[in-house]
Amino acid sequence: PRFDRTLSPKSLGLQKEKLSHFHFYFHDIVSGQNPTAVRVAQAPITNQSPTLFGAVMMAGDPLTVGPKANSKLVGKA
């Protein structure tokens, strides 16, 4: 049996698509007193890997309107 089907936007009551562009800066801070990304798990070989294969990170990074970390905060990711 098939579990997919094509739906027409009209049948769902959807209007013409609206395109929005978002521009923000994602700050991934991995060191210092207040890191926003930390390693929470790793494989036994992670520290010997040049790509840190096996590392699992957790992040709560600030999103800002400008490239500087102190520019206006618009969210977190």
Side-chain angles (χ1 to χ4, degrees):
R2 289 190 64 180
F3 296 100
D4 67 323
R5 62 186 165 129
T6 301
L7 297 173
S8 82
K10 195 174 209 175
S11 72
L12 297 173
L14 299 175
Q15 305 297 317
K16 183 178 178 184
E17 289 184 28
K18 180 179 179 182
L19 180 63
S20 298
H21 292 275
F22 292 96
H23 191 107
F24 54 85
Y25 293 83
F26 192 102
H27 300 275
D28 199 22
I29 304 164
V30 296
S31 64
Q33 283 189 317
N34 298 308
T36 61
V38 294
R39 191 182 310 184
V40 295
Q42 65 185 31
I45 63 161
T46 298
N47 289 333
Q48 287 79 42
S49 168
T51 61
L52 294 178
F53 179 80
V56 177
M57 304 292 286
M58 193 68 157
D61 295 338
L63 304 175
T64 63
V65 297
K68 294 187 178 181
N70 65 352
S71 60
K72 183 181 175 186
L73 182 70
V74 292
K76 290 194 174 212

